């Protein structure tokens, strides 16, 4: 029996094989692409895009398959790049998913075309996080019909949408159980209370179990309307909603399963909230990325490899090349050699 444990990191690839003495050596490359793809999902975006394709041809083929891209989380990276670069990367990764995309998390989308592209590939999409995006009511109206499978949606800090967009979402996303509609404190400071969005939620999203509306301009009336029309609600975040006053005894008696946060803010608000940008420059976890035009298949190849280094056409998606570096001039020369 052969047990193969594959340990992969950014700098090194270690391959440890335990085999019975009578067994003949088998190449790890014989592992089926789908299995490799599942393993690669445990790696970071940066490793999957820039390291794994450079190891060998079979891994490059596996990492471009759909098993690696059923869940795409580029929210952290999207906070650090230009809009056109973000659109191109997102289109490439969604294309790789081949219609199997289940979860997508990305921040700061700005172009109408990318929202349309996401909707066109949302047949299997269940979780969609689009915080700080520039979609408006018109865009939401156009794409909401294609998001019918969505069960969790995050449109926090999207200041260009309003109650009409939420109504369109509620009417088309019948499976919706979770909604994040948090706002930036500076976007709502000194503005009058408005319950239009609360009423849109209450009238179109009866299956909600999780609702976040931190720093929103809602009043007590709006919250009570939501509670009355969303009987399955289990969690309500109303931190920073200073116009809301709820009696705790009333909540305990009428909604015993409901957990309510706020309006008093007792802790740092959201790890992925508005203050994340202040920590970007101090983080050593993320290496600088250089996103340039080029061939996705133009990888560094060790001369000792048995193959000729010519990669399949499937790896040349959108003629893009990603390079990342860490204080060295020629990062390609430092890739771990193929086994």
């Amino acid at each position: 029996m052969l047990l193969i444990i594959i340990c992969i990191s950014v700098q090194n690839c270690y391959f440890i094989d335990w085999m019975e003495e009578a067994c003949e050596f088998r190449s790890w490359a014989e592992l089926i692409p789908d299995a490799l793809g599942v393993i690669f999902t445990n790696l970071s975006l940066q490793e999957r895009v820039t390291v794994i394709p450079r190891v060998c041809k079979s891994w490059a083929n596996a990492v471009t398959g759909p098993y690696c891209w059923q869940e795409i989380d580029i929210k952290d990276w999207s906070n650090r790049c230009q809009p056109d670069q973000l659109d191109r990367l997102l289109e490439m990764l969604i294309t790789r998913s081949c219609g199997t995309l289940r979860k997508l998390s990305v921040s700061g989308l700005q172009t109408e075309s990318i929202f349309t592209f996401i909707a066109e590939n949302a047949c299997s999409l269940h979780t969609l996080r689009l915080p700080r995006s520039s979609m408006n009511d018109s865009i939401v109206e156009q794409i909401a019909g294609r998001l019918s499978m969505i069960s969790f949606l995050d449109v926090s800090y999207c200041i260009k949408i309003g109650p009409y967009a939420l109504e369109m979402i509620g009417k088309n996303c019948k499976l919706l159980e979770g909604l994040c509609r948090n706002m930036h404190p500076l976007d709502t400071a000194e503005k009058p209370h408005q319950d239009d969005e609360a009423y849109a939620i209450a009238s179109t999203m009866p299956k909600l179990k999780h609702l976040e509306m931190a720093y929103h301009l809602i009043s007590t009336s709006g919250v009570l309307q939501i509670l009355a029309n969303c009987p399955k609600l289990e969690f309500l975040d109303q931190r920073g909603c200073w116009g809301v006053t709820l009696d705790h005894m009333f909540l305990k008696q009428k909604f015993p399963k409901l957990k309510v946060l706020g309006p008093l803010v007792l802790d740092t608000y959201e790890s992925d909230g508005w203050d994340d940008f202040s920590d970007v420059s101090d983080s050593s976890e993320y290496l600088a990325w250089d996103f340039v035009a080029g061939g996705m298949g133009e990888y560094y190849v060790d001369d000792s490899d048995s193959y000729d280094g010519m990669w399949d056409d499937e790896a040349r998606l959108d003629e893009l090349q990603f390079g990342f570096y860490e204080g060295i001039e020629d990062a390609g020369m430092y890739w771990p050699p193929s086994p």
Side-chain angles (χ1 to χ4, degrees):
M1 179 181 294
L2 172 64
L3 173 62
I4 301 177
I5 301 178
I6 303 177
C7 302
I8 306 169
S9 66
V10 176
Q11 299 295 337
N12 301 284
C13 292
Y14 298 99
F15 306 90
I16 306 173
D17 296 351
W18 281 274
M19 304 180 64
E20 293 180 359
E21 294 182 359
C23 291
E24 183 179 354
F25 176 78
R26 293 177 59 188
S27 172
W28 52 265
E30 294 180 8
L31 195 62
I32 62 174
D34 292 351
L36 283 172
V38 173
I39 294 172
F40 294 157
T41 59
N42 294 292
L43 302 177
S44 68
L45 169 72
Q46 183 172 322
E47 291 170 313
R48 280 180 282 168
V49 172
T50 64
V51 177
I52 295 301
R54 298 173 186 260
V55 173
C56 67
K57 184 176 181 179
S58 63
W59 282 27
N61 291 336
V63 81
T64 59
Y67 280 91
C68 272
W69 308 106
Q70 292 179 350
E71 298 184 8
I72 299 175
D73 185 352
I74 58 173
K75 184 173 60 176
D76 291 326
W77 188 79
S78 59
N79 289 331
R80 299 161 169 80
C81 72
Q82 297 299 318
D84 60 327
Q85 297 174 352
L86 177 58
D87 288 359
R88 292 165 65 196
L89 172 64
L90 192 57
E91 288 177 359
M92 184 188 75
L93 299 184
I94 292 178
T95 298
R96 288 183 175 184
S97 72
C98 299
T100 65
L101 182 63
R102 297 195 304 257
K103 295 181 180 180
L104 175 62
S105 180
V106 57
S107 176
L109 296 180
Q110 297 186 19
T111 62
E112 181 176 347
S113 60
I114 194 62
F115 295 117
T116 302
F117 184 81
I118 292 173
E120 290 174 347
N121 293 272
C123 57
S124 300
L125 194 60
H126 295 163
T127 299
L128 179 60
R129 293 182 177 272
L130 300 173
R132 304 183 185 88
S133 294
S134 296
M135 70 178 83
N136 53 36
D137 288 356
S138 176
I139 293 176
V140 173
E141 183 179 23
Q142 295 176 34
I143 68 174
R146 300 179 180 179
L147 303 177
S148 59
M149 298 301 294
I150 295 292
S151 61
F152 188 95
L153 177 65
D154 185 352
V155 287
S156 298
Y157 323 115
C158 297
I159 61 176
K160 294 184 178 181
I161 64 173
Y164 181 73
L166 294 180
E167 184 179 351
M168 290 296 100
I169 292 170
K171 288 182 176 180
N172 288 277
C173 304
K174 299 296 185 180
L175 303 178
L176 194 65
E177 295 183 344
L179 176 68
C180 294
R181 184 68 179 120
N182 303 308
M183 300 298 290
H184 192 300
L186 296 181
D187 289 331
T188 58
E190 299 182 357
K191 293 184 178 180
H193 297 141
Q194 298 177 351
D195 288 319
D196 292 350
E197 290 196 11
Y199 293 150
I201 293 172
S203 61
T204 62
M205 305 178 189
K207 295 183 179 180
L208 278 185
K209 295 180 179 180
H210 182 106
L211 177 60
E212 298 181 20
M213 299 189 72
Y215 292 99
H216 218 279
L217 295 171
I218 55 177
S219 68
T220 303
S221 175
V223 172
L224 291 177
Q225 191 74 13
I226 291 174
L227 296 180
N229 290 275
C230 302
K232 297 182 179 181
L233 197 62
E234 299 174 354
F235 178 85
L236 174 62
D237 187 348
Q238 57 172 16
R239 287 177 291 179
C241 299
W242 308 118
V244 178
T245 303
L246 297 175
D247 182 78
H248 292 288
M249 291 301 297
F250 168 78
L251 291 177
K252 188 175 181 179
Q253 294 175 359
K254 295 293 185 179
F255 310 98
K257 296 183 179 180
L258 177 64
K259 179 180 179 181
V260 179
L261 294 183
L264 185 63
V265 181
L266 299 176
D267 55 355
T268 302
Y269 180 65
E270 270 195 307
S271 60
D272 62 345
W274 56 273
D275 55 350
D276 273 3
F277 295 101
S278 62
D279 298 327
V280 171
S281 60
D282 297 331
S283 175
S284 60
E285 180 180 355
Y286 299 96
L287 305 179
W289 284 38
D290 183 23
F291 189 105
V292 295
M296 191 63 189
E298 296 174 1
Y299 302 107
Y300 167 76
V301 180
D302 194 324
D303 291 338
S304 63
D305 289 333
S306 59
Y307 51 88
D308 59 8
M310 297 300 293
W311 301 86
D312 292 340
D313 291 339
E314 289 81 0
R316 301 177 177 272
L317 291 176
D318 296 339
E319 297 185 348
L320 301 178
Q321 179 183 19
F322 293 86
F324 73 95
Y325 45 89
E326 189 176 18
I328 54 179
E329 293 182 359
D330 188 0
M333 299 301 294
Y334 290 82
W335 293 123
S338 298

